[in-house]
Amino acid sequence: MDFAGSDTAHRPMAGRVTSAKIVIAGGFGVGKTTLVGSVSEITPLTTEAIMTSAGVGVDDTRQVPGKTTTTTVAMDFGRITIDRDLILYLFGTPGQTRFWFMWDELVRGAIGAVVLVDTRRLADCFAAIDFFEHRRLPYLVAINCFDGMQYHNAQDVRDALAISSEVPVVSCDARNRESTKHVLISLVEYVLSMRRSRAVAPA
Ligand SMILES: Nc1nc2c(ncn2[C@@H]2O[C@H](COP(=O)(O)OP(=O)(O)OP(=O)(O)O)[C@@H](O)[C@H]2O)c(=O)[nH]1
Ligand SMILES: [Mg+2]
């Protein structure tokens, strides 16, 4: 794996271990904290705050029935060793737009991003996609299949989001480690393929 050029690339003299930063983004309550928690091999650092009556009318929990108690106010942090030579550091963003002022800091040095979507509230991820496209940070779209149901197929989601055909669209269960690990591996493969194609593209 070669992530030279990434701010976070780190190579000890022996062992050739590479570490890379990945951002987990998406709208409010799509399962970002759940994903980081399910896949992290360390106890994830979370910054959950209790949702109080002050959030009524601001925090729209109608489509997120389980989402009645907490919300991320700064970030989630976790780590996963993909294989002997690659460690990923995961940074989950806050979903609510009123906390987005810190996104610029959160994505600094990242090699790529996962945009997690709930297809019942697809529009909630538009801002995240715009953000990564504007910054030219490679991302993939991961459909979180709440209750094991995939309400729309990948092509429908791609069409609805009007994203380039090269952007991977995968489905997952944010609560399942193997499933979310697969999402991260897909993102790493995509980032590597983008870098290879840019390297061979004529100037
Ligand atoms: N059934 C089901 N519930 C899920 C799944 N993923 C997350 N949840 C639930 O959905 C709710 C929201 O999950 P979070 O992980 O807090 O979502 P988030 O994107 O971090 O939310 P914010 O940080 O507030 O934007 C929680 O009650 C989870 O238990 C899933 O795949 N299936
Ligand atoms: Mg969260």
Side-chain angles (χ1 to χ4, degrees), residues 28-29 51 55-65 67 96 98 121 124:
F28 173 53
M51 295 199 290
V56 174
V58 180
D59 304 336
D60 185 358
T61 60
R62 283 169 300 179
Q63 295 291 329
V64 199
K67 192 79 184 166
Q96 300 194 67
R98 61 198 161 100
R121 298 178 292 126
D124 290 6

Side-chain angles (χ1 to χ4, degrees), residues 29-41:
V30 292
K32 302 176 293 296
T33 301
T34 304
L35 186 154
V36 173
S38 76
V39 82
S40 180
E41 63 205 7

Side-chain angles (χ1 to χ4, degrees), residues 27-34 46-48 67 70-73 75-76 92-95:
F28 173 53
V30 292
K32 302 176 293 296
T33 301
T34 304
T46 59
T47 57
E48 297 294 283
K67 192 79 184 166
T70 63
T71 187
T72 303
V73 294
M75 66 169 190
D76 308 305
T93 61

Side-chain angles (χ1 to χ4, degrees), residues 189 191-201:
E189 288 173 349
V191 171
L192 286 171
S193 73
M194 293 284 285
R195 290 184 177 207
R196 281 192 205 108
S197 61
R198 279 179 194 161
V200 297

